[in-house]
Amino acid sequence: MRELELYYGPQHLGMVGNFSITLNVEGDRIKKATANPGYLHRGFEKLMECRTWMQNFPLVCRINVVEPDHIELIYSMGVEKLAGIEVPEKGKYIRSIYLELARVASHLFGLWAYSNMLGFDTVANWAMYHRDLILDLFEELTGARVYHIYIRPGGVRRDFPDGFEDKIIETLHTIGGKIPDYNSTFFDNRLFKKRTKGIGKLDRENAKKMGAVGHAIRATGMKYDIRKIEPYAAYDQVEWDVPTRKGGDAYSRLLTIRDEMIESVHMIFKLINKMPKKGTVYTKTPNPFKWKIPEGDAYVRCESSRGELGLYIVSDGGKKPYRAHFRTPSYSHGLTILENILAGEDIADVGNIMMSLYVVAPEIDR
Amino acid sequence: MNDLKQKIEMAFDSIDINIPEDNRMIINISKDGVISILSYLKNAGYEHLALISCVDLINENEFELVYIVSAYMKRDDEFHDREKQNIIIKTRISRKKTRFMTVINIFENAEPYEREIYELFGINFQGHPRLKPLFLEIEYEMPPFRKNFDTRKFVDDMFGNIPEIEGH
Amino acid sequence: MDRNKLIKWIKTPAKMGNKYSLHAVYFCTGCGIIEIPPTITTRWDAERFGVTPAATPRQANLFLITGYVSLKTLKSIIRTYEQMPEPKYTVGFGSCPINGGMYWDSYNTIKHLDKYIPVDGWIAGCMPRPEAIFIAVTHLWKMIDNDMADGYKKYRNNYDQYRANQEKVLGSLDWPPLFK
Ligand code: SF4
């Protein structure tokens, strides 16, 4: 059969985000896939060098649209480490609760994209609606739906408003109560299983070799989670477990995501119960216009909903960062792993596999 | 960490290791030693390449390449100290002769990182199978992440004098 | 159907048809795309306004530019725009296409989208809320009624200028001019 070159994206119905893959196909089979990123390259790290430490906050959160909160966190962690700032106890709890909410919202967005791709429109509508409920919480807390700029060096911007904890609990009960429905319509559905089982297989050896992190490696059975390995915020204060699966295919990855979402909901309940009632939520930092950070470099990392997120940051003792480099989980997922596991699959499964790896294009391009 | 430090110091001479805080180790090495130390660390179990970065030290007329490696877990559900550790390997190359060796043979996911550094800093990785542009659409007069590339001036020059559409 | 509009329907059926069936191209150009899924699903339900995503540009007449436009994206935006059949309407969503927004000093994003393709309306904000899309859509209706949404005519009449601007930033384009 003749080999054809097929352009998948950036304007394509099966593509979530501004990303493109060039496929060499023979019939319906993919022979070779070449990722073609760069549609969203803005040169963030260069722009950061021209702005002061505080000015960078509105900028960095735009690196990942789907969950800007972890990017804020990692940048704050970097600044805190360089400047030697401590976070007060209550600030840590609020950070954890906020980040877990962001994780649930982001997973729901992923669920929307995934079920939309497989043709489960009902589930897609549910997921989007439930995500919106969480965005309403964010709006009340921070004033913005998507880009919150809530975490700052030394803690968070403001305390929870009165009765906010109850609202979180109520919202999460609404979402949690829907999980049996999600299961019966989607995760236990025969069609879903047929479309995902054995698709996009990534075994342990290859996953390690190609730098898989996050749910991609957890779906092969390893409990690799930075929240456990190097706890930050208040993740070491409560009991929780890392959900894993064995299969390593799209099905296991999706179920890992679902289990993670449920685990996050439980974790938020525990964190709210244990959160100190009184106390400050942030440490005072110097005047942002004059703030100089001592010379040095640091590497910090955290677990975003896609996997290990890192930041290598260098200061030359001035008002602006000298160099910052984000290590984003989608980078190896979207460029190395995707290219490798697409070979041999069907064209119909490209979007499916890409979403199961949770590739977000702006995170790759930065 | 200290055991590892001793072991590395035994195996390599002329190497500068310090441990600034728990779980972070910084290794400064000359550019010939990078490949051997990376493969040494990989064999010692640090098989996850987290990041390859580059810093333009324009005052010293050098580029600093930074490799950050860490370890996956040994057992699926036991947490050890080893996964906590991040090892930062730094090496310097001259800003004039921007050539270096690729590390794809050791870490497969180094490929896009090296391509990115090639594009944004102009460092040529020898032995890399496809050193093609990754992100950029047009050619800039100088790789844009270098410190002497002034983006504001570039923006003024390039986008500032594009005329409005007139007439209708 | 609204009885008062009956006369309008009889007099200008094409205009009314265009107005109430805006098919938006499925193209995620920037971070503004994150507000499109809530808009087209149950909570805001854009289909009440006749706005629905279309798979290919050949069946679409509304192009929502959702966010910053890097040079590589600009190329695909131009190609997509040129593939759409006339009449077609463009709306810039967010501050970035208007004047560069927070990437005003980035070397890889363009600052004023209307210098490269015609834009009929803008939605300001970073990022605008979903409601803003509906306000924009109702404004667009008015503009279509009054023959003011004529970006595509402008593109045809001033094609030389547009093409020259496009080539200024992208180098020579590898497809032939749309209009001679
Ligand atoms: S205007 Fe703001 S939200 Fe919209 S694309 Fe630009 S930075 Fe993103």
Side-chain angles (χ1 to χ4, degrees):
Chain A
M1 219 182 283
R2 198 155 64 98
E3 199 173 304
L4 289 175
E5 207 178 55
L6 194 71
Y7 291 93
Y8 197 91
Q11 197 279 312
H12 192 284
L13 203 56
M15 182 59 78
V16 176
N18 203 344
F19 188 70
S20 136
I21 309 172
T22 314
L23 304 171
N24 286 62
V25 292
E26 212 182 86
D28 224 7
R29 279 287 126 127
I30 297 163
K31 288 261 143 174
K32 191 173 132 232
T34 320
N36 180 12
Y39 289 93
L40 297 170
H41 179 70
R42 291 144 281 175
F44 265 114
E45 286 138 5
K46 182 84 185 180
L47 299 185
M48 284 172 73
E49 290 164 14
C50 315
R51 285 161 170 75
T52 61
W53 293 97
M54 273 305 206
Q55 265 183 331
N56 273 325
F57 270 92
L59 197 65
V60 289
C61 61
R62 274 147 179 97
I63 288 179
N64 185 346
V65 224
V66 183
E67 49 151 7
D69 317 281
H70 280 95
I71 309 263
E72 285 165 25
L73 173 85
I74 196 78
Y75 182 61
S76 305
M77 275 167 68
V79 173
E80 277 156 18
K81 190 163 247 184
L82 285 176
I85 304 172
E86 284 293 321
V87 183
E89 195 62 20
K90 188 165 184 196
K92 283 187 184 168
Y93 274 91
I94 293 188
R95 272 188 182 186
S96 288
I97 295 171
Y98 168 75
L99 290 170
E100 286 314 298
L101 280 174
R103 189 183 311 274
V104 177
S106 156
H107 282 337
L108 284 169
F109 188 85
L111 194 57
W112 167 78
Y114 202 83
S115 49
N116 216 355
M117 195 115 36
L118 295 188
F120 289 86
D121 275 358
T122 320
V123 181
N125 276 310
W126 288 346
M128 204 25 88
Y129 174 66
H130 287 146
R131 171 174 175 269
D132 246 277
L133 293 182
I134 297 181
L135 295 196
D136 282 352
L137 289 178
F138 283 149
E139 201 176 353
E140 181 175 348
L141 181 63
T142 67
R145 273 166 61 79
V146 180
Y147 294 128
H148 315 122
I149 317 176
Y150 181 62
I151 295 179
R152 47 165 286 167
V156 294
R157 203 146 45 87
R158 52 182 281 217
D159 202 346
F160 281 164
D162 283 342
F164 191 66
E165 288 92 333
D166 299 333
K167 276 189 190 148
I168 296 179
I169 292 174
E170 198 188 312
T171 309
L172 291 182
H173 274 305
T174 316
I175 297 172
K178 204 72 180 161
I179 285 184
D181 288 350
Y182 277 117
N183 282 342
S184 58
T185 31
F186 190 58
F187 292 108
D188 294 338
N189 194 316
R190 196 158 47 94
L191 291 174
F192 168 72
K193 286 181 185 160
K194 273 214 165 132
R195 282 299 300 273
T196 51
K197 270 198 175 157
I199 301 290
K201 205 145 169 67
L202 183 67
D203 57 25
R204 171 70 63 79
E205 270 319 298
N206 279 328
K208 273 182 166 180
K209 225 167 53 190
M210 295 189 277
V213 285
H215 68 290
I217 189 118
R218 287 199 288 275
T220 68
M222 192 195 280
K223 291 199 172 180
Y224 186 80
D225 191 320
I226 310 291
R227 285 175 292 171
K228 275 277 192 225
I229 293 171
E230 242 192 321
Y232 50 94
Y235 287 117
D236 47 353
Q237 307 289 333
V238 289
E239 287 280 305
W240 60 282
D241 193 29
V242 186
T244 55
R245 292 271 153 174
K246 280 271 155 24
D249 51 359
Y251 178 72
S252 327
R253 285 197 282 275
L254 256 284
L255 288 197
T256 319
I257 288 175
R258 181 198 65 181
D259 295 350
E260 227 176 275
M261 207 150 75
I262 298 172
E263 190 64 44
S264 293
V265 171
H266 288 307
M267 204 197 301
I268 295 173
F269 290 150
K270 287 177 198 159
L271 284 164
I272 287 180
N273 277 339
K274 230 183 147 191
M275 187 169 84
K277 291 284 163 301
K278 292 217 176 58
T280 53
V281 292
Y282 66 88
T283 321
K284 274 236 156 59
T285 50
N287 179 346
F289 296 110
K290 299 191 190 123
W291 194 12
K292 286 191 178 159
I293 284 186
E295 202 176 326
D297 63 339
Y299 180 69
V300 283
R301 54 183 185 161
C302 74
E303 180 82 19
S304 83
S305 61
R306 278 153 193 79
E308 177 187 341
L309 175 69
L311 169 65
Y312 179 68
I313 189 160
V314 184
S315 164
D316 63 344
K319 285 184 190 167
K320 300 169 183 170
Y322 190 73
R323 166 93 169 113
H325 192 159
F326 287 88
R327 181 248 183 269
T328 49
S330 296
Y331 202 82
S332 328
H333 284 189
L335 298 179
T336 317
I337 297 181
L338 195 65
E339 280 189 357
N340 278 298
I341 64 176
L342 276 185
E345 302 283 349
D346 280 353
I347 299 179
D349 287 328
V350 176
N352 180 339
I353 293 171
M354 192 176 149
M355 267 328 290
S356 81
L357 282 170
Y358 241 178
V359 178
V360 193
E363 232 183 47
I364 300 176
D365 302 344
R366 303 193 308 281
Chain B
M1 280 252 97
N2 283 321
D3 313 345
L4 184 72
K5 182 180 171 188
Q6 275 167 9
K7 269 193 217 150
I8 298 176
E9 272 170 348
M10 297 258 273
F12 294 83
D13 39 74
S14 79
I15 194 167
D16 165 27
I17 303 178
N18 52 35
I19 301 180
E21 55 185 312
D22 296 350
N23 303 324
R24 294 285 186 277
M25 178 193 271
I26 297 181
I27 301 177
N28 284 305
I29 195 165
S30 71
K31 62 180 179 183
D32 313 319
V34 172
I35 302 264
S36 46
I37 187 122
L38 282 177
S39 33
Y40 178 87
L41 286 172
K42 191 178 178 188
N43 291 336
Y46 295 86
E47 41 188 0
H48 174 52
L49 174 77
L51 181 68
I52 302 180
S53 182
C54 178
V55 187
D56 183 0
L57 301 168
I58 193 164
N59 294 334
E60 287 144 62
N61 212 1
E62 274 171 335
F63 283 121
E64 187 172 71
L65 284 172
V66 181
Y67 296 79
I68 298 173
V69 292
S70 61
Y72 282 116
M73 291 157 70
K74 238 188 212 144
R75 294 270 182 70
D76 279 355
D77 44 8
E78 272 175 37
F79 295 97
H80 288 280
D81 279 347
R82 210 186 54 167
E83 304 95 59
K84 288 188 187 167
Q85 299 160 357
N86 280 296
I87 301 176
I88 302 170
I89 297 137
K90 294 182 182 174
T91 187
R92 299 217 175 167
I93 58 173
S94 147
R95 234 163 156 274
K96 293 267 159 51
K97 261 177 55 201
T98 52
R99 254 184 281 129
F100 200 65
M101 301 306 281
T102 173
V103 297
I104 297 180
N105 300 334
I106 310 168
F107 293 108
E108 208 171 300
N109 63 334
E111 199 249 333
Y113 287 114
E114 288 183 348
R115 240 171 112 189
E116 182 188 326
I117 291 175
Y118 162 72
E119 187 174 37
L120 299 180
F121 285 93
I123 297 177
N124 228 322
F125 287 92
Q126 281 171 341
H128 191 292
R130 49 167 181 179
L131 274 188
K132 292 193 296 191
L134 184 68
F135 293 150
L136 304 180
E137 174 69 27
I138 58 168
E139 279 200 9
Y140 296 86
E141 76 255 45
M142 175 192 312
F145 268 44
R146 293 196 180 178
K147 282 276 172 192
N148 47 352
F149 178 91
D150 186 347
T151 74
R152 295 192 177 172
K153 186 167 161 295
F154 176 83
V155 168
D156 278 350
D157 292 351
M158 173 132 172
F159 300 104
N161 37 26
I162 293 199
E164 300 269 349
I165 307 291
E166 33 181 274
H168 183 32
Chain C
M1 194 171 66
D2 192 353
R3 262 162 202 260
N4 300 331
K5 295 220 176 109
L6 207 56
I7 301 183
K8 256 192 189 169
W9 274 102
I10 293 166
K11 275 190 182 158
T12 51
K15 223 186 247 176
M16 295 302 273
N18 284 334
K19 235 169 90 173
Y20 292 124
S21 60
L22 291 169
H23 284 60
V25 197
Y26 189 93
F27 188 4
C28 326
T29 42
C31 51
I33 196 65
I34 202 85
E35 288 291 30
I36 302 301
T39 317
I40 56 176
T41 51
T42 41
R43 184 129 189 230
W44 275 283
D45 194 10
E47 221 158 326
R48 291 178 294 156
F49 292 77
V51 181
T52 169
T56 103
R58 305 217 183 261
Q59 298 167 351
N61 62 353
L62 174 64
F63 199 172
L64 263 177
I65 313 273
T66 50
Y68 50 86
V69 179
S70 71
L71 292 173
K72 210 169 179 175
T73 313
L74 179 66
K75 210 172 194 171
S76 19
I77 285 185
I78 297 167
R79 298 206 85 157
T80 313
Y81 183 73
E82 292 189 351
Q83 282 175 29
M84 287 162 64
E86 288 179 0
K88 48 191 169 186
Y89 313 107
T90 329
V91 175
F93 181 86
S95 339
C96 286
I98 303 181
N99 60 3
M102 61 168 38
Y103 308 117
W104 59 275
D105 58 346
S106 159
Y107 55 86
N108 203 36
T109 61
I110 57 147
K111 313 302 168 208
H112 299 274
L113 183 66
D114 52 351
K115 291 182 179 173
Y116 310 94
I117 62 165
V119 181
D120 292 310
W122 304 103
I123 309 174
C126 182
M127 84 180 22
R129 295 178 54 88
E131 289 93 337
I133 296 179
F134 299 129
I135 298 179
V137 167
T138 41
H139 273 289
L140 191 60
W141 287 352
K142 269 197 205 113
M143 286 171 71
I144 296 174
D145 259 349
N146 301 333
D147 282 327
M148 278 159 71
D150 52 358
Y152 61 97
K153 286 184 197 151
K154 205 172 161 192
Y155 194 61
R156 193 171 354 174
N157 295 340
N158 303 312
Y159 185 68
D160 300 341
Q161 287 177 45
Y162 280 113
R163 177 98 179 177
N165 279 356
Q166 291 161 6
E167 290 194 333
K168 231 177 215 161
V169 291
L170 291 174
S172 67
L173 301 174
D174 48 6
W175 63 88
L178 183 64
F179 306 110
K180 281 278 155 38

